[in-house]
Amino acid sequence: MSMTATGPKSGSQALAARWRGVAWMGGAVLSFLLMALSGRELSATLSTFQILCFRSVVGLVIVGTLAWHAGWRVLHTRRLGLHVGRNLAHLGGQFGWFFAIGALPLASVFAIEFTIPLWTALLAALLLRERLTAQRAGLIVLGLAGVLMILRPGAGLLQWASLAALGGAVAYALSYLATKRLAPTDAPLAILFYMTVVQLPLATAGALWTWQPPDWGQWPWILLVGLTALSAHYCIARALKLAELAAVMPVDFLRLPLVALLGWWLYGERVDALALAGMAVIVAANVLNLRAR
């Protein structure tokens, strides 16, 4: 009797946890959409480095407050060098993403971002000597083919923005590998704290070349870009803690059609058939990669 009663209860709890994980991933999707909208609005008047500078300031205030409440010992680390390396790569990823957000259709930037898991698998094989199967290698090639379908040869700023988006995806993949090595020893709050501490002076140094004071109308966007940058990571962490990757990742894929709709509604952006096909190829490569894992 007790075993029969426990079984359904355990299954019910697992199902409830899975749905909570899906809800948290929905929060991450909303955070990414708002961050993209904020970045697009700020890019009209502020340089990419200046956006990253303000983003780090807002993040440092929030994370510093949380660390103060939790106790400063939570920030202890013996791997400061790895934190610095991680955030050099992460800053490169952010620069590429925000630079592209201001110049490319939002859906194109998000589609290229979805190649990060594929680049992570490739870099893990090259740098960490993880096994790269023939199936994984084929999926990386498939994802790259999707990128080429989206980023057909352009000219001027669009060409540079395309390269920035692709380079940003590779840089993000490097930062994810570093995060994977930090996670077993350092608290998540410490990882976020050193992210803001390392990136703030670097972003500020780059912003000084084109610095201009933001007007009052830009401050809500500045606060939003800083808040959503943290909330996106927090929601993903909570989602993956509650449910398996296969359960929550389909929600993340909703970012692509939603951001395409957002770009069309607010900025009149249109996605042609070949770009749509490229996005579908990238999503398919991600789904197959997830199944292979």
Side-chain angles (χ1 to χ4, degrees), residues 19-282:
W19 279 110
R20 289 198 300 272
V22 167
W24 278 109
M25 185 56 76
V29 170
L30 179 61
S31 297
F32 280 120
L33 293 175
L34 292 175
M35 184 163 52
L37 179 60
S38 304
R40 170 62 66 85
E41 292 297 318
L42 291 172
S43 67
T45 52
L46 301 181
S47 69
T48 302
F49 272 122
Q50 199 167 352
I51 295 172
L52 297 181
C53 173
F54 285 123
R55 177 187 183 278
S56 294
V57 169
V58 175
L60 183 58
V61 171
I62 295 173
V63 175
T65 302
L66 294 175
W68 177 69
H69 281 286
W72 295 110
R73 285 181 297 179
V74 74
L75 303 180
H76 174 73
T77 183
R78 294 182 178 179
R79 313 180 78 180
L80 188 59
L82 186 56
H83 278 286
V84 173
R86 174 192 178 274
N87 287 295
L88 287 174
H90 193 264
L91 182 65
Q94 288 186 98
F95 181 89
W97 194 81
F98 278 105
F99 183 82
I101 281 290
L104 292 175
L106 296 178
S108 297
V109 180
F110 274 58
I112 297 170
E113 185 187 0
F114 275 122
T115 64
I116 292 174
L118 306 176
W119 295 119
T120 303
L122 177 61
L123 292 172
L126 294 175
L127 301 178
L128 304 181
R129 300 187 182 278
E130 292 187 5
R131 183 169 175 264
L132 182 64
T133 64
Q135 183 182 12
R136 287 279 184 85
L139 293 176
I140 292 170
V141 174
L142 182 63
L144 184 57
V147 171
L148 293 176
M149 294 168 69
I150 297 170
L151 303 182
R152 298 181 293 279
L157 181 61
L158 287 182
Q159 185 177 7
W160 283 110
S162 302
L163 294 175
L166 190 57
V170 176
Y172 272 134
L174 281 170
S175 74
Y176 287 170
L177 291 179
T179 305
K180 183 179 178 180
R181 299 187 66 182
L182 284 169
T185 59
D186 290 31
L189 195 59
I191 295 174
L192 289 175
F193 177 80
Y194 291 111
M195 179 182 75
T196 56
V197 167
V198 172
Q199 293 186 26
L200 178 57
L202 296 174
T204 303
L208 289 177
W209 294 96
T210 56
W211 185 272
Q212 53 180 340
D215 57 45
W216 287 107
Q218 292 169 319
W219 281 106
W221 297 115
I222 290 172
L223 293 175
L224 188 59
V225 79
L227 288 170
T228 53
L230 294 179
S231 64
H233 291 289
Y234 180 78
C235 289
I236 290 173
R238 289 299 302 268
L240 295 179
K241 186 176 181 179
L242 289 165
E244 63 274 13
L245 190 64
V248 298
M249 278 306 295
V251 181
D252 190 44
F253 291 147
L254 290 176
R255 275 197 285 157
L256 203 48
L258 288 176
V259 81
L261 182 61
L262 189 67
W264 168 78
W265 180 39
L266 296 178
Y267 305 110
E269 297 175 353
R270 296 184 180 275
V271 182
D272 60 30
L274 188 56
L276 283 173
M279 293 175 191
V281 168
I282 292 173

